[in-house]
């Protein structure tokens, strides 16, 4: 009956109803617990998780226990999920996107730089990342307008401008920061659980033609910043404690600030679906860099954290062809089109295509839910 949303999960989101504006709720089965009503803390009447997340780890633990009590005590006033509308779960402060899958980085290296080593020399020494655009992080279900931009088609010396012809997705996992840190003070790997509140699913929509032309030498820009979608329910770290797995062996040994006694990732089973058909099953357990290492790296220069910061893992791709988390990899740069069940083929996304990323942990006992979005036609220029 609870199907991934039982007492082991209890994810947080922001919902509204016909009779009330956005406020914080917990999902339990196919129902939503209105936390402001159930627990009386005004932080839960806010239209985002930020005031609650700012209260810190001890309070998160306390509230989780109280929610479990209320639900198992049968005293809870629950709303059916079908009566609520879900919103962006938190106000996104800063947004960082990493590149932590060795398979994804290797695949992209082979395609973008076929004549050199697929991994650049820095890749196994630091979690490569870039700062993204927090203002265009949108909730699941938001339509994605096909972006226009500069691209230089093959065989052409100069660029032109127009709607992207190589619109793609990236299957990613996002980590949501609750507790801030002061400017000038790095956050060590050991402080991960003091700062990170929970986990969501991320779709990093990517215009590959725009990206390929603009990314040298400063990295992703307009090929990424037009939209990033996230799932509506943030799964607390506690719910994923049983899904921890060691990262793959890290060699060479990382520098001391990136070391952990037992670097751990998460055994999450992800899925990528196009128009309802599953086309890939990326395994998060294969990610090279751990979430704590990404956080330590992001702050090692003294950059501060703010409540609501989101950092994403980068595309999750496993070693097998059916585990790749983007269409550029699944179709090998568009050279090997995917055959779909309806008889059509696809390289990159067409207008009207709907992409859904799903995720579960602990053999389905904990669901990360879904993040979905449909491609809308480009705005005429
Ligand atoms: Ca990405």
């Amino acid at each position: 009956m609870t199907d991934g949303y039982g007492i082991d999960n209890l994810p947080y989101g922001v919902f509204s109803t016909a009779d009330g504006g956005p406020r914080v709720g917990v999902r339990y089965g196919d129902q939503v617990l209105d936390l402001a009503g159930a627990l009386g803390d005004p932080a839960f009447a806010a239209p985002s998780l930020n005031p609650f997340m700012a209260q810190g780890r001890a309070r998160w633990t306390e509230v989780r226990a109280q929610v479990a009590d209320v639900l198992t005590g049968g005293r809870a006033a629950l709303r059916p999920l079908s009566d609520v509308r879900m919103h962006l779960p938190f106000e996104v402060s800063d947004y960082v996107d990493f590149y932590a899958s060795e398979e994804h980085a290797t695949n992209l290296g082979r395609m973008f730089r076929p004549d050199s080593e697929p991994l650049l020399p820095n890749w196994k020494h630091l979690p490569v990342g870039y700062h993204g655009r927090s203002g265009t992080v949108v909730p699941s279900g938001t339509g994605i307008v096909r972006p226009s931009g500069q691209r230089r088609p093959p065989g052409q010396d100069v660029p032109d401008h127009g709607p992207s012809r190589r619109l793609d997705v990236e299957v990613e996992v996002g980590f949501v920061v609750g507790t801030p840190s002061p400017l000038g003070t790095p956050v060590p790997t050991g402080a991960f659980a003091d700062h990170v509140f929970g986990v969501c699913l991320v779709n990093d929509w990517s215009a590959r033609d725009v990206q390929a032309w603009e990314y040298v030498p400063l990295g992703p820009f307009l090929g990424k910043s037009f939209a990033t979608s996230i799932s509506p329910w943030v799964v607390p770290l506690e719910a994923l404690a049983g899904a921890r797995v060691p990262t793959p062996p890290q060699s060479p040994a990382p520098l001391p600030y990136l070391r952990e006694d037992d670097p751990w990732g998460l055994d999450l089973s992800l899925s990528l679906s196009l128009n309802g058909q599953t086309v890939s099953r990326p395994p998060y357990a294969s990610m090279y860099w751990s979430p704590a290492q990404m956080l330590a790296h992001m702050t090692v220069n003294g950059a501060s954290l703010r409540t609501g910061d989101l950092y994403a893992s980068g595309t999750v791709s496993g070693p097998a062809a059916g585990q790749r988390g983007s269409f550029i990899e699944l179709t090998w740069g568009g050279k090997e089109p995917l055959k779909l069940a309806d008889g059509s083929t696809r390289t990159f996304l067409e207008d009207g295509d709907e992409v859904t990323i799903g995720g579960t942990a602990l053999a389905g006992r904990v669901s990360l839910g879904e993040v979905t979005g449909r491609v809308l036609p480009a705005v005429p220029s």
Side-chain angles (χ1 to χ4, degrees), residues 95 97-99 104 130 169-172 202-206 208 211 220 224 228 312-316:
Y95 168 49
D97 194 17
F98 283 98
Y99 195 52
H104 174 72
Y130 68 96
V169 301
E170 297 193 331
V171 174
E172 304 198 17
V202 176
N203 184 348
D204 175 24
W205 301 89
S206 300
R208 300 297 182 193
Q211 181 187 358
K224 299 279 192 176
T228 307
S313 60
T315 309
V316 184

Side-chain angles (χ1 to χ4, degrees), residues 94-100 104 108 122-123 126-134 136-137 168-170 172 202-208 211 214-215 217-229 294 297-298 310-315:
D94 287 298
Y95 168 49
V96 164
D97 194 17
F98 283 98
Y99 195 52
H104 174 72
L108 272 273
N122 61 3
W123 200 89
L126 55 82
V128 169
Y130 68 96
H131 281 92
R133 191 167 187 85
S134 54
T136 53
V137 176
D168 197 357
V169 301
E170 297 193 331
E172 304 198 17
V202 176
N203 184 348
D204 175 24
W205 301 89
S206 300
R208 300 297 182 193
Q211 181 187 358
E214 74 177 359
Y215 89 108
L218 288 186
F221 188 38
L222 303 177
K224 299 279 192 176
S225 64
F226 57 94
T228 307
S229 303
M294 291 187 249
H297 186 64
M298 200 169 110
L310 169 67
Y311 68 96
S313 60
T315 309

Side-chain angles (χ1 to χ4, degrees), residues 316-343:
V316 184
S317 288
Q323 297 179 326
R324 295 171 181 161
S326 65
F327 286 98
I328 194 171
E329 290 168 274
L330 286 165
T331 67
W332 208 254
K335 293 193 188 95
E336 301 168 12
L338 282 180
K339 292 184 180 66
L340 301 179
D342 66 3

